[in-house]
Amino acid sequence: TSAVVLHSKRLHITGATVEAGRGQPAQELRVLEHRPLEQVAFLTPEPLEAGHNYTLHIQYVANLSDSFHGFYKSTYRTREGELRVLAATQFEPTAARMAFPCFDEPAFKARFSIKIRREPKHLALSNMPIVKSVNITPWLVEDHFDTTVKMSTYLVAFIVSDFKSISKITRHGVKISVYTVPDKINQADYALDAAVKLLDFYEDYFSIPYPLPKQGKSAIPDFQSGAMENWGLTTYRESALLYDPEKSSASSKLWITMIIAHELAHQWFGNLVTMEWWNDLWLNEGFAKFMEFVSVSVTHPELRVEDFFLRRCFDAMEVDALNSSHPISTPVEDPAQILEMFDDVSYEKGSCILNMLRDYLTADMFKAGLVQYLQKYSYQNTKNEDLWNSMTNICPTIGNDKNELQGDGFCRRSQQSSSSAHWTEGETLDVRAMMDTWTLQKGFPLVTVTVRGKNVHLQQERYMKGVDSPSPTGYLWHIPLTYITSKCETVQKFLMTTKADVLILPEEVEWVKFNVDMNGYYIVHYEDDGWDRLIHLLKENHTAISSNDRASLVNNIFQLVSIKKLSISKAFDLTMYLKHERQIMPVLQGMNELIPIYRLMERRDMDGTEKQLKEYIVGLFKDLIDQQSWSDEGSVSERLLRHSLLLFACRHGYQPCVDKAKGYFTEWQESNGTLSLPADVKTAVYAVGAQTSEGWDFLLSKYRLHSFSVERANIEFALSLSGSKDKLQWLMDQGLHGDIVRTQDLPHIIVFVARNPSGCHLAWTFLKENWEKFVEKFELGSNSISAIVTGVTSRYSTRSELAQVKEFFSSLDEKSAQLRCVQQAVETIEDNIQWMDRNSEKVKTWLQNNCL
């Protein structure tokens, strides 16, 4: 060939030469740039021959990026108010090309040797440890880093800063360090201890040693996502790594632990074994998301992470029920499409179907398959099917089953095993055939259960929201069904691979509950009196089924209302049992279903229905709210529940709560912010305090102080609840400006403002006026952009709002107009309109006929 084509973006290439070998003269290359494809071609005077080694030398210059990707600039202020500058990298998915010309695709793995020149007052970090430092001049030092292992470009990282660090050595001899701005190094201990435990756990679980000598974790003051798994130097936004035992909340501890677990899981899933192309991004992200639960439940059992798994499957289903969804594994080509893959389907749905598969295969078999996959493909790239093939070829001995590996590589179970305990009886376990139905088609199944005596008739179809969409045909899943009945607590299992099937129970039962603990990624409808029986069970004896089962019934019944399978009054009948519910998952799920209905009604003139609904919701949880102590006592789940309940009560005008919060706020204000408030009640106290102009100004004055840095998100939320349009506008303007409010926080501030009835129009106008700036800062296709688009419009429910949204986005360039988040927003508004048309009168009638 006489051309070498590399990726390059916003780099000014000043010259390039090629040498054929030692001692050979270097030849000048012609340079051609193709900006739309972010590529650059180096043309050689004579052809390069296959099988020969050539060395390319490229001279180039570039500015540090002003966005959050590439090699970019970040700033922070010291306690004394001095502004300091640092430079950090964020390359995934396609921004390594903004730092150096390279083959910027995940399958082009290479070893990287990095040298960085810096001032003596700075510290340079990269993936590998420093081998030597050379003083070039008295004011310039050159650090040479060890050569990396074979890896993809998107995992390369370097930081030049004045950070401080603390370190520990793991049981396996890996040095872990946490780096932060000097004033916050006292908030690094929790992350360091968690990282040591988690890295040791993963080395044991995967039976593969962590291959680098060190693992650095750095908190970057300006950071767009939550964190990034660069091999050996993971980077985090400060709120995802720093923990202050005095001031941080329980939810902050949970979130930090989960994120560290996620990034460390990537050191194997993603870094050691990498997807071949971005269409299979879920092999990285779904796994890391799933492994958070596997690891943290062992290393930090007190966090009870299993209480929070369901929520993410419900979140994934919300976008996956729309026509604009996509299969987990889906073709992508350009950088914006690649960025769009970093969504709830790749992460949340990915983790939910892995959880379902583990439940199906058993934990031991699943783990054996993972280990085989990681060992076989270390330092290589993989596709979807490589994983399923590794899972299928595993045949561990479980219990006393006589497992035999058949000649075709499939696991068969011996005939003696009873069908109740197992998925298959002497049948082939074809993991790939099963999992292809979950990864290669979008959406998820709705299973309809009809009980006739001892016979249980089952039917599956695709669950789909939408404007009277006909039930899509041609969708079929292999569903690992599980069920319990009033007569049998042992989980029964059955793999459904056809459109319809029949199960025969040993005896007639009062009720049957499918999808035990909601381990499966599907929802269930009970025909005839099936729902009435379950509602009766919840009212009479709700603890007969697990809290996850209760949460899934609350979720499923409202999903069925959305597709007209059930009436809204039936769903409301079920919610009445929540008055006696005490567990976090069902309580939060009840709120997650009821509050959005209230929010839709609140934005319309509903002649008092919305007020009645608010009173109903407060009434459901009143006893539980009254029981809460205003303290930080209890388990993490109890603390998170307290935080949600008190905030809900104070925001929805439950007087005893509002009065108490006002009292706390006044005391706190009188102490000039020195009074230590319990971390879990702060949000509620700040939310009430921010309602007065004076309280709002006081909160803002504290927000700007160093000593309140771990509370920034809490205070931002409270400030966004103001009834003053001027204050809300100022908050968004500051977020765009980036000095007082960091621009990394702007996406959620806009969404908070949009959800405030005083701010919904402001947020929409702000989105329209600043669209170009958002795209420049956050990148088209990014999670930040989609959070803004869907967040600002999620409560719209009128035809005029729908028309405005459609009109604005169709006026933009084609790439913006075709973003998936725009389609999601439009579908969601259409769904809201339909929902309100069908159900608002029925809710009104139900509320009039039922009081607690």
Side-chain angles (χ1 to χ4, degrees), residues 385-448:
E385 55 263 32
D386 298 324
L387 174 66
W388 308 140
N389 293 340
S390 298
M391 289 283 180
T392 300
N393 295 332
I394 287 293
C395 215
T397 318
I398 302 169
N400 303 322
D401 268 2
K402 301 180 185 62
N403 286 299
E404 303 134 33
L405 192 58
Q406 304 292 331
D408 55 11
F410 286 126
C411 241
R412 294 226 170 87
R413 291 237 171 81
S414 60
Q415 296 294 342
Q416 296 95 332
S417 65
S418 70
S419 61
S420 68
H422 292 297
W423 296 101
T424 49
E425 199 176 344
E427 283 176 33
T428 299
L429 273 184
D430 186 346
V431 177
R432 182 174 169 185
M434 169 180 156
M435 294 311 289
D436 278 353
T437 70
W438 297 95
T439 56
L440 303 182
Q441 54 187 359
K442 64 183 176 184
F444 54 90
L446 162 65
V447 175
T448 300

Coordinates of all heavy atoms in Angstrom, one line a residue, residues 385-448:
E385 N -21.6 -14.0 20.3 CA -21.7 -15.4 20.3 C -20.5 -16.1 21.0 O -20.7 -17.2 21.5 CB -21.8 -16.0 18.9 CG -20.8 -15.6 17.9 CD -21.2 -14.4 17.0 OE1 -22.0 -13.6 17.5 OE2 -20.8 -14.4 15.9
D386 N -19.4 -15.4 21.1 CA -18.2 -16.0 21.8 C -18.6 -16.3 23.3 O -18.2 -17.3 23.9 CB -17.0 -15.1 21.7 CG -16.5 -14.9 20.3 OD1 -16.6 -15.9 19.5 OD2 -16.1 -13.8 20.0
L387 N -19.4 -15.3 23.8 CA -19.8 -15.5 25.2 C -20.7 -16.7 25.4 O -20.5 -17.5 26.3 CB -20.4 -14.2 25.7 CG -21.0 -14.3 27.1 CD1 -19.9 -14.4 28.1 CD2 -21.8 -13.0 27.4
W388 N -21.7 -16.7 24.5 CA -22.7 -17.8 24.6 C -22.1 -19.2 24.4 O -22.4 -20.1 25.1 CB -23.9 -17.6 23.7 CG -24.5 -16.3 23.8 CD1 -25.0 -15.5 22.7 CD2 -24.8 -15.5 25.0 NE1 -25.5 -14.3 23.2 CE2 -25.4 -14.3 24.5 CE3 -24.6 -15.7 26.3 CZ2 -25.8 -13.3 25.4 CZ3 -25.0 -14.7 27.2 CH2 -25.5 -13.5 26.8
N389 N -21.1 -19.2 23.5 CA -20.5 -20.5 23.3 C -19.7 -20.9 24.5 O -19.7 -22.1 24.9 CB -19.6 -20.5 22.0 CG -20.4 -20.3 20.8 OD1 -21.6 -20.6 20.8 ND2 -19.8 -19.8 19.7
S390 N -19.0 -20.0 25.2 CA -18.3 -20.3 26.4 C -19.3 -20.8 27.5 O -18.9 -21.7 28.3 CB -17.6 -19.1 27.0 OG -16.6 -18.6 26.0
M391 N -20.5 -20.2 27.5 CA -21.4 -20.6 28.5 C -22.0 -22.0 28.3 O -22.3 -22.8 29.1 CB -22.6 -19.7 28.5 CG -22.3 -18.3 29.1 SD -22.2 -18.4 30.8 CE -21.8 -16.7 31.2
T392 N -22.2 -22.3 26.9 CA -22.8 -23.6 26.6 C -21.9 -24.7 26.8 O -22.3 -25.8 27.1 CB -23.2 -23.5 25.1 OG1 -24.1 -22.4 24.9 CG2 -23.9 -24.8 24.6
N393 N -20.5 -24.5 26.7 CA -19.6 -25.6 26.8 C -19.2 -25.9 28.2 O -18.2 -26.6 28.4 CB -18.4 -25.3 25.9 CG -18.7 -25.3 24.5 OD1 -19.7 -25.9 24.1 ND2 -18.0 -24.5 23.7
I394 N -19.9 -25.4 29.2 CA -19.5 -25.6 30.5 C -20.4 -26.8 31.1 O -21.6 -26.9 30.8 CB -19.8 -24.4 31.4 CG1 -18.8 -23.3 31.0 CG2 -19.8 -24.7 32.9 CD1 -17.5 -23.7 31.5
C395 N -19.7 -27.7 31.8 CA -20.6 -28.7 32.4 C -20.1 -29.1 33.8 O -19.5 -30.1 34.0 CB -20.5 -29.9 31.5 SG -22.0 -30.8 31.5
P396 N -20.2 -28.2 34.7 CA -19.7 -28.5 36.1 C -20.7 -29.5 36.7 O -21.8 -29.6 36.3 CB -19.8 -27.1 36.8 CG -20.9 -26.4 36.1 CD -21.0 -26.9 34.7
T397 N -20.2 -30.2 37.8 CA -21.1 -31.1 38.5 C -21.8 -30.3 39.5 O -21.2 -29.7 40.4 CB -20.2 -32.2 39.2 OG1 -19.2 -32.5 38.2 CG2 -21.0 -33.4 39.5
I398 N -23.1 -30.3 39.4 CA -23.9 -29.6 40.4 C -24.6 -30.6 41.2 O -25.4 -31.4 40.7 CB -24.9 -28.7 39.7 CG1 -24.2 -27.7 38.8 CG2 -25.7 -27.9 40.7 CD1 -25.1 -26.9 37.9
G399 N -24.4 -30.6 42.6 CA -25.1 -31.5 43.4 C -24.8 -32.9 43.0 O -23.6 -33.3 42.7
N400 N -25.8 -33.8 43.0 CA -25.6 -35.2 42.7 C -26.0 -35.5 41.2 O -26.0 -36.6 40.8 CB -26.4 -36.1 43.6 CG -26.0 -35.8 45.0 OD1 -24.8 -35.6 45.3 ND2 -26.9 -35.8 45.9
D401 N -26.3 -34.4 40.5 CA -26.7 -34.7 39.1 C -25.6 -35.3 38.3 O -24.4 -34.9 38.5 CB -27.0 -33.4 38.4 CG -28.5 -33.0 38.5 OD1 -29.2 -33.8 39.2 OD2 -28.9 -32.0 37.9
K402 N -25.9 -36.3 37.5 CA -24.9 -36.9 36.7 C -24.9 -36.1 35.4 O -25.8 -36.3 34.6 CB -25.2 -38.4 36.4 CG -25.3 -39.2 37.7 CD -25.6 -40.7 37.4 CE -25.8 -41.5 38.6 NZ -26.9 -41.0 39.5
N403 N -24.0 -35.2 35.3 CA -24.0 -34.4 34.0 C -23.0 -35.1 33.1 O -21.9 -35.5 33.4 CB -23.4 -33.0 34.3 CG -24.5 -32.2 35.0 OD1 -25.5 -31.9 34.5 ND2 -24.2 -31.7 36.3
E404 N -23.4 -35.2 31.8 CA -22.5 -35.7 30.9 C -22.3 -34.7 29.7 O -23.3 -34.1 29.3 CB -23.0 -37.0 30.2 CG -23.4 -38.1 31.3 CD -24.7 -38.7 31.0 OE1 -25.1 -38.8 29.8 OE2 -25.4 -39.0 32.0
L405 N -21.1 -34.5 29.3 CA -20.9 -33.6 28.2 C -21.0 -34.4 26.9 O -20.3 -35.4 26.7 CB -19.5 -33.0 28.3 CG -19.2 -31.8 27.4 CD1 -20.2 -30.7 27.6 CD2 -17.8 -31.2 27.6
Q406 N -22.0 -34.1 26.2 CA -22.3 -34.9 25.0 C -21.3 -34.5 23.9 O -20.6 -33.5 24.0 CB -23.7 -34.6 24.4 CG -24.8 -34.9 25.5 CD -24.9 -36.4 25.8 OE1 -24.7 -37.2 25.0 NE2 -25.3 -36.7 27.0
G407 N -21.2 -35.4 22.9 CA -20.2 -35.1 21.8 C -20.4 -33.8 21.1 O -19.5 -33.2 20.6
D408 N -21.7 -33.2 21.1 CA -21.9 -32.0 20.4 C -21.6 -30.8 21.3 O -21.9 -29.6 21.0 CB -23.4 -31.9 20.0 CG -24.3 -32.0 21.2 OD1 -23.9 -32.0 22.3 OD2 -25.5 -32.2 20.9
G409 N -21.0 -31.0 22.5 CA -20.6 -29.9 23.4 C -21.7 -29.3 24.2 O -21.5 -28.3 24.9
F410 N -22.9 -29.9 24.1 CA -24.0 -29.4 25.0 C -24.1 -30.1 26.3 O -23.7 -31.3 26.3 CB -25.3 -29.5 24.2 CG -25.4 -28.5 23.1 CD1 -25.7 -28.9 21.8 CD2 -25.3 -27.1 23.4 CE1 -25.9 -27.9 20.8 CE2 -25.4 -26.2 22.4 CZ -25.7 -26.6 21.1
C411 N -24.5 -29.5 27.3 CA -24.7 -30.1 28.6 C -26.1 -30.8 28.6 O -27.1 -30.2 28.2 CB -24.8 -29.0 29.6 SG -23.6 -29.1 30.8
R412 N -26.1 -32.1 29.0 CA -27.4 -32.7 29.1 C -27.5 -33.2 30.6 O -26.5 -33.7 31.1 CB -27.5 -33.9 28.2 CG -27.5 -33.5 26.7 CD -28.6 -34.3 26.0 NE -28.7 -33.7 24.6 CZ -28.0 -34.1 23.6 NH1 -27.1 -35.0 23.7 NH2 -28.2 -33.5 22.4
R413 N -28.7 -33.1 31.1 CA -28.8 -33.5 32.5 C -29.4 -35.0 32.4 O -30.2 -35.3 31.6 CB -29.9 -32.6 33.2 CG -29.3 -31.2 33.4 CD -29.3 -30.9 34.9 NE -28.6 -29.7 35.2 CZ -29.2 -28.5 35.0 NH1 -30.4 -28.4 34.6 NH2 -28.5 -27.4 35.3
S414 N -29.0 -35.7 33.4 CA -29.4 -37.1 33.4 C -30.9 -37.2 33.6 O -31.5 -36.3 34.2 CB -28.6 -37.9 34.4 OG -28.9 -37.3 35.7
Q415 N -31.5 -38.3 33.2 CA -33.0 -38.5 33.3 C -33.5 -38.5 34.7 O -34.7 -38.1 34.9 CB -33.4 -39.8 32.6 CG -33.0 -39.9 31.1 CD -33.8 -38.9 30.3 OE1 -34.9 -38.4 30.8 NE2 -33.4 -38.6 29.1
Q416 N -32.7 -38.9 35.7 CA -33.3 -39.0 37.0 C -33.7 -37.7 37.6 O -34.6 -37.7 38.5 CB -32.3 -39.7 38.0 CG -31.9 -41.1 37.6 CD -30.6 -41.1 36.9 OE1 -30.3 -40.1 36.2 NE2 -29.9 -42.2 36.9
S417 N -33.1 -36.6 37.2 CA -33.4 -35.3 37.9 C -34.9 -35.0 37.8 O -35.5 -35.2 36.7 CB -32.5 -34.2 37.4 OG -32.9 -34.0 36.1
S418 N -35.5 -34.5 38.8 CA -36.9 -34.2 38.8 C -37.1 -32.8 38.0 O -36.4 -31.9 38.2 CB -37.5 -34.0 40.2 OG -37.0 -32.8 40.8
S419 N -38.2 -32.8 37.2 CA -38.3 -31.6 36.4 C -38.7 -30.4 37.2 O -38.4 -29.3 36.8 CB -39.5 -31.8 35.4 OG -40.7 -32.1 36.1
S420 N -39.2 -30.6 38.5 CA -39.5 -29.4 39.2 C -38.3 -28.6 39.6 O -38.3 -27.4 39.7 CB -40.3 -29.8 40.5 OG -39.4 -30.5 41.3
A421 N -37.2 -29.3 39.9 CA -36.0 -28.6 40.3 C -35.2 -28.0 39.2 O -34.3 -27.2 39.4 CB -35.2 -29.5 41.2
H422 N -35.4 -28.5 38.0 CA -34.5 -28.1 36.9 C -35.3 -27.6 35.7 O -36.5 -27.8 35.5 CB -33.7 -29.3 36.5 CG -32.7 -29.7 37.6 ND1 -31.7 -28.8 38.0 CD2 -32.6 -30.8 38.4 CE1 -31.1 -29.4 39.0 NE2 -31.6 -30.5 39.2
W423 N -34.5 -26.9 34.9 CA -35.1 -26.3 33.7 C -35.4 -27.3 32.6 O -36.3 -27.2 31.9 CB -34.1 -25.3 33.1 CG -33.8 -24.2 34.1 CD1 -32.8 -24.0 34.9 CD2 -34.7 -23.1 34.3 NE1 -32.9 -22.9 35.6 CE2 -34.1 -22.3 35.3 CE3 -35.9 -22.6 33.8 CZ2 -34.6 -21.1 35.7 CZ3 -36.5 -21.5 34.2 CH2 -35.8 -20.7 35.2
T424 N -34.5 -28.3 32.5 CA -34.6 -29.2 31.4 C -34.5 -30.6 32.0 O -33.9 -30.8 33.0 CB -33.4 -29.0 30.5 OG1 -32.2 -29.0 31.2 CG2 -33.6 -27.7 29.7
E425 N -35.1 -31.5 31.2 CA -35.0 -32.9 31.7 C -34.4 -33.7 30.5 O -35.0 -34.0 29.5 CB -36.4 -33.5 32.0 CG -36.3 -34.7 32.9 CD -37.7 -35.1 33.3 OE1 -38.6 -34.4 33.2 OE2 -37.8 -36.3 33.7
G426 N -33.1 -33.9 30.6 CA -32.4 -34.6 29.6 C -32.4 -33.9 28.2 O -32.3 -34.5 27.2
E427 N -32.7 -32.5 28.3 CA -32.7 -31.8 27.1 C -31.4 -31.0 26.9 O -30.6 -30.8 27.8 CB -33.8 -30.7 27.1 CG -35.2 -31.3 27.0 CD -36.3 -30.2 27.1 OE1 -36.0 -29.1 26.8 OE2 -37.3 -30.6 27.7
T428 N -31.2 -30.6 25.7 CA -30.0 -29.8 25.4 C -30.1 -28.4 26.0 O -31.2 -27.8 25.8 CB -29.8 -29.7 23.9 OG1 -29.6 -31.0 23.4 CG2 -28.5 -28.9 23.6
L429 N -29.1 -27.9 26.7 CA -29.1 -26.5 27.1 C -28.4 -25.7 26.1 O -27.2 -25.6 26.0 CB -28.3 -26.4 28.4 CG -29.0 -26.6 29.7 CD1 -28.0 -26.3 30.8 CD2 -30.2 -25.7 29.9
D430 N -29.2 -25.0 25.2 CA -28.5 -24.3 24.1 C -28.6 -22.8 24.5 O -29.5 -22.1 24.3 CB -29.2 -24.5 22.8 CG -28.5 -23.8 21.7 OD1 -27.6 -23.0 21.9 OD2 -28.8 -24.1 20.5
V431 N -27.5 -22.4 25.2 CA -27.5 -21.0 25.8 C -27.6 -20.0 24.7 O -28.3 -19.0 24.7 CB -26.2 -20.8 26.6 CG1 -26.2 -19.3 27.1 CG2 -26.2 -21.7 27.8
R432 N -26.9 -20.3 23.6 CA -26.9 -19.2 22.5 C -28.2 -19.0 21.9 O -28.7 -17.9 21.7 CB -25.8 -19.6 21.4 CG -25.8 -18.6 20.3 CD -24.7 -18.9 19.3 NE -24.8 -18.0 18.2 CZ -24.1 -18.0 17.1 NH1 -23.1 -18.9 17.0 NH2 -24.3 -17.2 16.1
A433 N -28.9 -20.2 21.6 CA -30.3 -20.0 21.0 C -31.2 -19.2 22.0 O -31.9 -18.4 21.5 CB -30.9 -21.4 20.8
M434 N -31.1 -19.5 23.3 CA -31.9 -18.8 24.2 C -31.5 -17.3 24.3 O -32.4 -16.4 24.1 CB -31.7 -19.4 25.6 CG -32.4 -18.6 26.7 SD -32.1 -19.3 28.3 CE -32.2 -18.0 29.4
M435 N -30.2 -17.0 24.4 CA -29.8 -15.6 24.7 C -29.9 -14.8 23.4 O -30.0 -13.5 23.5 CB -28.4 -15.6 25.3 CG -28.4 -16.2 26.7 SD -29.7 -15.6 27.8 CE -29.1 -13.9 28.1
D436 N -29.8 -15.4 22.2 CA -30.0 -14.6 21.0 C -31.3 -13.9 21.0 O -31.5 -12.8 20.5 CB -29.8 -15.5 19.8 CG -28.3 -15.7 19.4 OD1 -27.5 -15.0 20.0 OD2 -28.0 -16.5 18.5
T437 N -32.3 -14.6 21.6 CA -33.7 -14.0 21.6 C -33.8 -12.8 22.5 O -34.6 -12.0 22.3 CB -34.8 -15.1 22.0 OG1 -34.7 -15.3 23.4 CG2 -34.7 -16.4 21.3
W438 N -32.8 -12.7 23.4 CA -32.8 -11.5 24.3 C -31.9 -10.4 23.8 O -32.0 -9.3 24.2 CB -32.4 -11.9 25.7 CG -33.4 -12.9 26.3 CD1 -33.3 -14.3 26.3 CD2 -34.6 -12.6 26.9 NE1 -34.4 -14.8 26.9 CE2 -35.3 -13.8 27.3 CE3 -35.3 -11.4 27.3 CZ2 -36.5 -13.8 28.0 CZ3 -36.5 -11.4 27.9 CH2 -37.1 -12.6 28.2
T439 N -30.9 -10.8 23.0 CA -29.9 -9.7 22.6 C -30.1 -9.2 21.2 O -29.7 -8.2 20.8 CB -28.5 -10.2 22.7 OG1 -28.3 -11.4 22.0 CG2 -28.1 -10.5 24.2
L440 N -30.7 -10.0 20.3 CA -30.8 -9.7 18.9 C -32.2 -9.1 18.5 O -32.4 -8.7 17.4 CB -30.5 -10.9 18.0 CG -29.1 -11.5 18.2 CD1 -28.8 -12.7 17.3 CD2 -28.0 -10.5 18.1
Q441 N -33.1 -9.1 19.4 CA -34.4 -8.4 19.1 C -34.7 -7.4 20.3 O -34.3 -7.7 21.4 CB -35.5 -9.4 18.9 CG -35.8 -10.4 20.0 CD -36.8 -11.5 19.7 OE1 -37.4 -11.5 18.7 NE2 -37.0 -12.4 20.7
K442 N -35.3 -6.3 19.9 CA -35.6 -5.3 20.9 C -36.8 -5.7 21.8 O -37.6 -6.6 21.4 CB -35.7 -4.0 20.3 CG -36.9 -3.8 19.4 CD -36.9 -2.4 18.8 CE -38.0 -2.2 17.7 NZ -37.9 -0.9 17.1
G443 N -37.0 -5.0 22.9 CA -38.2 -5.2 23.7 C -38.1 -6.4 24.6 O -37.0 -6.9 24.8
F444 N -39.2 -6.8 25.1 CA -39.3 -7.9 26.1 C -40.7 -8.5 26.1 O -41.6 -7.8 25.6 CB -38.9 -7.4 27.5 CG -39.8 -6.3 28.0 CD1 -41.0 -6.5 28.7 CD2 -39.4 -5.0 27.8 CE1 -41.8 -5.5 29.1 CE2 -40.2 -3.9 28.2 CZ -41.4 -4.1 28.9
P445 N -40.8 -9.7 26.6 CA -42.1 -10.4 26.5 C -43.1 -10.0 27.6 O -42.7 -9.8 28.7 CB -41.8 -11.9 26.5 CG -40.4 -12.0 27.1 CD -39.8 -10.6 27.0
L446 N -44.4 -10.1 27.2 CA -45.5 -10.1 28.2 C -46.0 -11.5 28.2 O -46.4 -12.0 27.2 CB -46.5 -9.1 27.8 CG -47.9 -9.3 28.4 CD1 -47.9 -8.9 29.9 CD2 -48.9 -8.4 27.7
V447 N -46.0 -12.1 29.4 CA -46.5 -13.5 29.5 C -47.9 -13.4 30.1 O -48.1 -12.9 31.2 CB -45.6 -14.4 30.4 CG1 -46.2 -15.8 30.6 CG2 -44.2 -14.5 29.7
T448 N -48.9 -14.0 29.4 CA -50.3 -14.0 30.0 C -50.6 -15.3 30.5 O -50.4 -16.4 29.9 CB -51.3 -13.6 28.9 OG1 -50.9 -12.3 28.4 CG2 -52.7 -13.5 29.4

